[in-house]
Structures are given as structure tokens and as C-alpha cells.
């Protein structure tokens, strides 16, 4: 990895502090809107770095923003720090072993995502100051990416209104520009209410809310045949009505997660699922209430920004992994199936390479990934302002996100190397935008072309609020 550019040397000088931040957050894995200790770590780091700090962004206690610089364009760099339930895992080993007394784990690498993004923002801040250049850089600490989609609420509340461009990244197995495809989605809780009764002596008096949930699942499962093939519907029972089979279940709650290529495809699907819920209530003489927990838009790409990010990655070269990094990654690979590794290449549009545990090149700009896609709340930011995302190589090739292997690598030397590498690429991209107003103009033009000039419309209902204090397990 080359360091001849001033901005990259600034990143390099700061790396130790930010690796330590990523490690501290790794050690306190917190879930969806409950990231109180993690956001405190981020807030303190922003203050130490001399950012002007705003807490409680968009009324969310675990969201934070730090700004530096004066005048000029506003560059947003987005980070995250939420973890996942059920993924507790010790660091630095290639076997599954949960940490004693801990159930959560950083299975999506958001400890790195947050620290790497703030490292890029802090380097841009120092560069602006050192060179006396006009421009503002902001780090947005965004909570609840997993399950809460906080960025949608932050966009809706105006947190990005004066931003010119946004930059982010995500931990991955390869380094490159993130292919801008993701699904729009929404999570809706359906709560059915019936009437309890003795299930043997007076079943005719009871009306089962659990029956309603089950009939709703049957209806939705039949609907699957008649929806666009990219669409996805998943569900989880949050409350199955209790543990007593001899009591007719008076209350039951199921969470649906509905995904589609675009909001235009998503909306009719959601309406159909709601009709099925009404039908299940009608069949069982129960009532149903619904609550939208989150909603995200699909991701919009931005060609001018993607080209510049890619050029920065190419100038940097691949992350300088050491022989020890490659050896540890190879140990991790031994715990994966050959399909995990081959599908990891396929998702990037790359031919599989025998014996490669960590990437030794940047993913080519026009590599077309073939594979399944998920969703991200960066989607809503991308509808509001021109947005670009990188992938950072922080995991052995083949590591699935949301796995114990991802957690085990989350504070390894290889993850730190991948994080610092991507921070340099993001900081370089921010500088290109600050130095070159034409790039921002082109990025905005590209954005207008993709949105058809329509102002951003939040997919959240007006009365939807962030599900603060929500536990994914509840
Ligand atoms: Zn993630």
C-alpha cells in the first residue's frame, strides 16, 4: 500500500488510535438502538479529535455526528457500530468458541466500519487544516443498521439536508467499489388479538391469535409464487402466545421483512401482505394491529463518485497483508465449505483463485457480481445525496457476513490492515471532491438522472418512529 500522498500519510499516522477504537467497540457488542457504550466511545473519539459534536442526531440517543472545517462543500462519511445477537465469539482463533457471558458479536464488522469511517473523516479534517482549504467533513455515527435502519429516520429528520456527497464502506472479503445494488425493504410487526379459553373444556369460546399468525404465514407462502422473482419475504415469531398448549393463545405477534428491487415494487407487495393479515384475522375472529419497525430504499449508485473511489483504490494498490495475515486467513478458510469460497468470488464477478486466502488485487471496476443481494439503510442516504460505498478487505475470502468467522477476525491484524486501506481510499475520494467542484457537480447531475429529479420520499409512514430500546430477540 502506497503512502506517497499527504492524506494517506495522515491516515497512517492516526491508525493506532482508530484500530484501538475498533477493538474497544468489538469488545462491547451492542444491538439495535442499544449501542450506548459504543456511541460513547465514538463521541469521545470525536471530541479528542476536535470535531464539533452533535449527539442525539434525529432524536436517536445512539446516533452522533462530528463536523470539522469551514465553508466549502459538505462531505459526509458514514459509520456504524451495532452488533448482532447470538454471535458471541472469541477473537483471533479459527474455531467456534463463544465468549463467556456474552451473547452478541460483531458479525458484520461494524466495529471496523465505524472506526474506519471516522479515521477517514479525521484525516480529511487534518488535511483541510494543514492546507488551509475551505470545506467541511462530517462523520455520522449511525446506529441500528441491523434491524432498525436508523439512517432512514436520520434522512427523514433532515440530518443530510445540506450534505453534498456521502461516502461509506462495508467490511468484506475483497477491496473495491461496492456494486450499488440492494433491495428496498420494510419490517412490519403484526399483532393479533383473540380470546383466551381452556383449550379442552371450552375451546369454542376461545379465538386463537396464534392460529391467525399461522394462517397469515400460509397465505403469504402461497403469495410467493405470484411475486417478482427478486422479491423476498421472511418472518419471525416474536410472541407465539405463550408456552401452555391448554390455553387458547389470546395474543401473538409476528414480524415480517419484505424486500423488493425498488420501492415501486415493494409497495404493492406490502399492501398484499397486509390484506393477507386482515384475511387471517377475519378467518379466526381475531383483530390485527400493525407497526412499521423500519423501511429502507434500494441503493442508488453514482458513476462519477464510483470512478474516483476506484481510481483511489488503484493508486493505493491492494491492502499490504503480511504472511501471518494470509496464514490466519487460510486457517479460517479451512472452517468454510468450498461453496462459501467460490460464491464469494462469484458475488464479485471474479474467477476463483486457488490458494488465495486474502485478495492481492483490487476488484476491477466493471466486474459484474452475480449473486444474492440484501438491503442496507445507506439506500435512503443514496436517494437523498450522491453516495458511494467501498468494500474493505477485512475477512478471509469466503467468510460469510453474520458468521462466527467474521467475529473471530474482527480485531485481527488483517482486519486492521483492510480498515486502514479503505480509510485511505475514502479520504482520498473526499479530497478529490473538495478540490474539484466539477466532480460534485457531475455527481449531482448523475443523482438527478437516477432519481428523475424527484425529491426524496421516505418509505417510512409519517407516524413511524425509531424502535428505540427494541431488542432483536424480543
Ligand atoms: Zn453490515
Amino acid at each position: 500500500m502506497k503512502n506517497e500522498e499527504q492524506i494517506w500519510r495522515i491516515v497512517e499516522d492516526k491508525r493506532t488510535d482508530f484500530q484501538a477504537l475498533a477493538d474497544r467497540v468489538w469488545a462491547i457488542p451492542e444491538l439495535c438502538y442499544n449501542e450506548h457504550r459504543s456511541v460513547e466511545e465514538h463521541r469521545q473519539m470525536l471530541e479528542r479529535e476536535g470535531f464539533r459534536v452533535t449527539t442525539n442526531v434525529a432524536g436517536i440517543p445512539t446516533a452522533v455526528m462530528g463536523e470539522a472545517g469551514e465553508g466549502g462543500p459538505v462531505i459526509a462519511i458514514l459509520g456504524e457500530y451495532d452488533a448482532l445477537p447470538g454471535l458471541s465469539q472469541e477473537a483471533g482463533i479459527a474455531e467456534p468458541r463463544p465468549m463467556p457471558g456474552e451473547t452478541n458479536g460483531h458479525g458484520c464488522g461494524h466495529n471496523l466500519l465505524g472506526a474506519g469511517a471516522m479515521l477517514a473523516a479525521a484525516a480529511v479534517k487534518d488535511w483541510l487544516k494543514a492546507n488551509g482549504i475551505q470545506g467541511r467533513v462530517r462523520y455520522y455515527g449511525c446506529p441500528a443498521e441491523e434491524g432498525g435502519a436508523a439512517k432512514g429516520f436520520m434522512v427523514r429528520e433532515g440530518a443530510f439536508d445540506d450534505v453534498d456527497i456521502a461516502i461509506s464502506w462495508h467490511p468484506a472479503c475483497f477491496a473495491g467499489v461496492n456494486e450499488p445494488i440492494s433491495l428496498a425493504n420494510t419490517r412490519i410487526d403484526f399483532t393479533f388479538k383473540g380470546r383466551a379459553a381452556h383449550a379442552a373444556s371450552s375451546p369454542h369460546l376461545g379465538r386463537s391469535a396464534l392460529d391467525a399468525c399461522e394462517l397469515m404465514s400460509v397465505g403469504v407462502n402461497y403469495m410467493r409464487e405470484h411475486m417478482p422473482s427478486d422479491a423476498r419475504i421472511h418472518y419471525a415469531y416474536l410472541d407465539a402466545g405463550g408456552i401452555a398448549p391448554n390455553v387458547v393463545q389470546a395474543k401473538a405477534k409476528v414480524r415480517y421483512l419484505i424486500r423488493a428491487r425498488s420501492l415501486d415494487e415493494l409497495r404493492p407487495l406490502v399492501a398484499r401482505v397486509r390484506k393477507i393479515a386482515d384475511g387471517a384475522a377475519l378467518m379466526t375472529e381475531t383483530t390485527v394491529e400493525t407497526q412499521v419497525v423500519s423501511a429502507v430504499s434500494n441503493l442508488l449508485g453514482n458513476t462519477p463518485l464510483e470512478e474516483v473511489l476506484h481510481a483511489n483504490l488503484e493508486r493505493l494498490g491492494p491492502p499490504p497483508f503480511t504472511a501471518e495475515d494470509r496464514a490466519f486467513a487460510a486457517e479460517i478458510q479451512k472452517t468454510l465449505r468450498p461453496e462459501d469460497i467460490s460464491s464469494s468470488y462469484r458475488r464479485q464477478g471474479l474467477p476463483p483463485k486457488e490458494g488465495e486466502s486474502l485478495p492481492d488485487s483490487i476488484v476491477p471496476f466493471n466486474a459484474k457480481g452475480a449473486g444474492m443481494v440484501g438491503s442496507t439503510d445507506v439506500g435512503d442516504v443514496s436517494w437523498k445525496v450522491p453516495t458511494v460505498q467501498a468494500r474493505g478487505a477485512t475477512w478471509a475470502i469466503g467468510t460469510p457476513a453474520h458468521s462466527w468467522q467474521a467475529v473471530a477476525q474482527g480485531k485481527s491484524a488483517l482486519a486492521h490492515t483492510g480498515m486502514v486501506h479503505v480509510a485511505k481510499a475514502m479520504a482520498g475520494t473526499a479530497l478529490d471532491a473538495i478540490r474539484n467542484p466539477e466532480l460534485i457537480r457531475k455527481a449531482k447531475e448523475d443523482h438527478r438522472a437516477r432519481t428523475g429529479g424527484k425529491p426524496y420520499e421516505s418509505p417510512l409512514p409519517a407516524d413511524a418512529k425509531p424502535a428505540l430500546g427494541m431488542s432483536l430477540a424480543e
Side-chain angles (χ1 to χ4, degrees), residues 79-94:
E80 299 167 10
Y81 30 70
D82 58 322
L84 286 155
L87 279 176
S88 169
Q89 166 66 30
E90 280 189 22
I93 57 171

Side-chain angles (χ1 to χ4, degrees), residues 112-148:
L112 300 160
L113 206 177
M118 204 202 294
L119 170 55
V124 174
K125 163 183 69 72
D126 288 7
W127 180 89
L128 287 168
K129 199 165 173 206
N131 295 285
I133 289 176
Q134 293 275 299
R136 278 168 290 165
V137 60
R138 290 187 189 154
Y139 168 72
Y140 285 80
C142 309
E145 197 279 327
E146 305 283 358

Side-chain angles (χ1 to χ4, degrees), residues 180-407:
I181 42 170
S182 79
L183 302 176
N185 82 28
T186 186
R187 281 180 175 76
I188 307 176
D189 288 353
F190 294 84
T191 305
F192 290 92
K193 286 188 183 146
R195 212 161 44 234
H198 193 294
S201 63
S202 50
H204 57 294
L205 300 179
R207 294 293 178 268
S208 171
L210 179 59
D211 286 358
C213 281
E214 293 190 297
L215 286 166
M216 179 179 174
S217 302
V218 171
V220 170
N221 287 336
Y222 272 91
M223 177 184 143
R224 285 178 204 283
E225 194 187 341
H226 308 285
M227 56 185 212
S229 51
D230 294 325
R232 298 279 182 273
I233 304 185
H234 333 285
Y235 59 91
Y237 281 65
L238 302 190
D239 175 4
I243 57 165
N246 57 345
V247 179
V248 172
Q249 290 81 0
K251 183 171 165 251
K253 188 170 180 179
V254 60
R255 175 169 296 167
Y256 269 79
L257 170 49
I258 307 161
R259 308 188 204 239
R261 274 281 167 202
S262 65
L263 288 177
D264 287 346
E265 271 187 16
L266 182 67
R267 286 191 190 100
L269 287 179
V270 171
R272 289 165 69 191
V273 170
R274 285 179 179 278
K275 275 188 196 162
I276 290 170
D278 291 342
L282 187 66
M283 282 190 279
T284 51
E285 293 192 323
T286 58
T287 59
V288 61
E289 278 172 23
T290 64
Q291 194 201 344
V292 175
V293 177
S294 65
V296 305
S297 305
N298 53 302
L299 205 53
L300 283 188
N302 193 280
T303 308
L305 294 180
E306 283 154 16
E307 283 169 356
V308 165
L309 175 61
H310 184 75
N312 272 274
L313 286 162
E314 282 292 345
R315 286 207 307 283
L316 274 168
F321 295 118
T322 63
E324 292 88 77
D325 294 337
R326 291 182 192 280
F328 177 48
E331 285 304 304
I332 291 283
Q333 281 190 324
K334 285 184 196 156
T335 70
L336 304 171
R337 296 166 310 151
E339 305 94 277
D340 292 326
I341 297 172
S342 59
S343 74
S344 189
Y345 283 99
R346 202 166 47 244
R347 267 201 303 279
Q348 314 296 316
L350 297 174
K353 252 195 229 172
E354 199 60 47
E356 183 188 45
S357 63
L358 290 167
D360 46 24
S361 59
I362 301 294
V363 176
F365 187 58
N366 283 324
K368 278 274 159 276
M372 301 298 173
V373 281
S375 307
T376 167
D377 62 1
V378 177
D380 290 87
V381 180
S382 78
W383 277 83
K384 182 78 190 170
V385 298
T387 301
V388 67
Q389 277 183 285
R391 295 188 189 107
T394 60
W395 299 329
I397 294 172
T399 304
H402 300 196
S403 64
W404 68 261
Q405 289 93 340
V407 188

